Amino acid sequence: MALSLLSAPSAASATGSAEQAVNEEKVDIVPKIHGVVRTRYEGEWSDSEEWRHRFQVRNARLSVEGKIIRQVDYLIRIDACDRGVMKILDAYAQWTFPKSWRVRAGQFRVPFGIDLFRAPGTYIFANRSFVGKNLANVREVGVQGGYYGKPGLPLTVEAGVFNSKSMGNHDVWQSALDYAAKAAWRPGGFVVSASYLSMKPYGVRMNLVDGTFGWHGAGLTAEAEYQHKHYERADLADTDAWSVFASYAIPLKKTVFDNISFQGRFDSMTANSNGRPDDGALDYDEPSRRRLTLGTQLEYLRSPLRVALRLNYEKYFYDSGVEAPAGGRDKLVAEFIVKF
């Protein structure tokens, strides 16, 4: 009896430890579904000062994510309607190792830049900056790995290698690959980031660097980002782009909305090429331009929910003699965004 009484606590302890281990291994494998619907009205002044406009479903994006085991997760993301076109954006599997290390394989956005990683449900402006859209807005197929920080060390370092050809065709054999690397430090409300990308989508290799500094806190978000693109073995001047913006949110009481915010941004881009030679020669696809954006929005925020009403005005500036392309003229944009 004495032996039984002495062994009982040990048996209970062993049973408790076993149950705890089993509970730690349990994983919720039910997929999680997220999405965003972003609709808009957009109007711009043409060269003849005539007003022209359009309605758009700018995004109807759906994401399915989940875990298979505690260390392995996946994500599949599509845009069911991107201005009337369906697109497969992301499809990857990821393995997380102890001490904040991860490896990801599949199709996803390359590790480069900061503004590029804002999604339609978290955009601050209706239209992305030139650094977020024009120079290196690419998703590719490949593999990347990195260190993703911990509370005492808010540092992320990641690097990857990718197909150089279009992500729309995974069946192409190729002799060239793309490479990307990024480091971001986020102490408190600050972010400091540096990135490098080397890509060769159409026969001319382009090397890009990115530097970002930003701060978020007390209702204020401010950020400055710069990108430089160099064209190898091409008689073409390098492309430079930068963006500076600030957004300030004021809490609202006794309304359905949680805050009202005001935004301002100035961004600039010199003449830019997508790297596709025409008859053996490389030329610019987009003219040099500068833009001032002013905006305001009302937001309902109940994470992960977001409902926003946004209004932006964009004023464009071009060099003398340059004809502004359609869609690149002074405009008004009104949006209704629902994120879940």
Side-chain angles (χ1 to χ4, degrees), residues 57-339:
V57 177
R58 186 59 185 85
N59 298 101
R61 186 168 294 189
L62 288 173
S63 301
V64 179
E65 60 180 325
K67 287 182 176 290
I68 300 301
I69 59 175
R70 186 163 52 90
Q71 301 91 345
V72 177
D73 58 277
Y74 63 89
L75 183 140
I76 300 170
R77 178 180 290 128
I78 67 167
D79 231 332
C81 184
D82 179 349
R83 292 164 290 185
V85 177
M86 179 180 287
K87 296 179 180 179
I88 298 176
L89 300 176
D90 300 300
Y92 65 78
Q94 182 171 265
W95 192 297
T96 300
F97 297 90
K99 299 183 180 179
S100 301
W101 292 90
R102 298 180 202 162
V103 173
R104 176 185 298 177
Q107 176 175 299
F108 47 89
R109 187 174 293 283
V110 302
F112 180 80
I114 294 293
D115 197 37
L116 282 159
F117 280 85
R118 290 190 170 93
T122 58
Y123 284 166
I124 297 172
F125 297 88
N127 289 315
R128 290 166 292 174
S129 66
F130 299 137
V131 298
K133 179 180 179 181
N134 296 75
L135 269 68
N137 180 27
V138 291
R139 282 177 163 88
E140 296 183 346
V141 183
V143 61
Q144 77 173 43
Y147 174 79
Y148 291 86
K150 54 186 179 181
L153 183 62
L155 175 67
T156 298
V157 180
E158 49 193 344
V161 57
F162 306 88
N163 288 345
S164 62
K165 302 304 180 183
S166 168
M167 71 176 188
N169 186 355
H170 303 183
D171 201 38
V172 178
W173 294 98
Q174 49 209 279
S175 57
L177 292 171
D178 292 353
Y179 309 92
K182 174 181 173 181
W185 184 45
R186 301 177 185 272
F190 290 94
V191 58
V192 181
S193 172
S195 311
Y196 172 78
L197 170 63
S198 180
M199 60 182 183
K200 191 179 181 181
Y202 304 114
V204 174
R205 182 164 291 279
M206 299 176 289
N207 301 312
L208 299 92
V209 293
D210 177 283
T212 305
F213 178 79
W215 184 81
H216 173 75
L220 176 65
T221 299
E223 191 173 282
E225 185 167 5
Y226 168 76
Q227 287 181 4
H228 178 82
K229 179 193 285 186
H230 171 69
Y231 307 92
E232 287 190 2
R233 300 182 180 87
D235 189 18
L236 210 62
D238 295 351
T239 298
D240 293 287
W242 55 269
S243 170
V244 177
F245 79 82
S247 176
Y248 184 68
I250 302 172
L252 295 177
K253 297 181 180 180
K254 299 180 180 180
T255 72
V256 68
F257 293 101
D258 293 301
N259 65 49
I260 182 171
S261 59
F262 302 91
Q263 296 81 33
R265 178 182 68 194
F266 192 80
D267 58 340
S268 173
M269 178 184 73
T270 60
N272 180 53
S273 172
N274 63 15
R276 186 197 297 267
D278 184 12
D279 293 331
L282 190 65
D283 202 355
Y284 294 118
D285 302 289
E286 299 173 301
S288 174
R289 67 188 79 173
R290 293 153 298 283
R291 175 177 58 184
L292 172 66
T293 306
L294 299 175
T296 184
Q297 62 184 356
L298 288 164
E299 293 180 288
Y300 169 91
L301 299 169
R302 298 289 190 276
S303 183
L305 304 178
R306 182 194 186 203
V307 178
L309 299 175
R310 177 185 293 140
L311 180 64
N312 280 185
Y313 168 70
E314 298 179 357
K315 175 66 179 177
Y316 286 79
F317 305 91
Y318 291 88
D319 296 338
S320 178
V322 175
E323 181 180 353
R329 299 181 172 94
D330 299 350
K331 63 165 62 70
L332 287 172
V333 186
E335 289 192 328
F336 180 24
I337 304 105
V338 176
K339 175 180 176 288

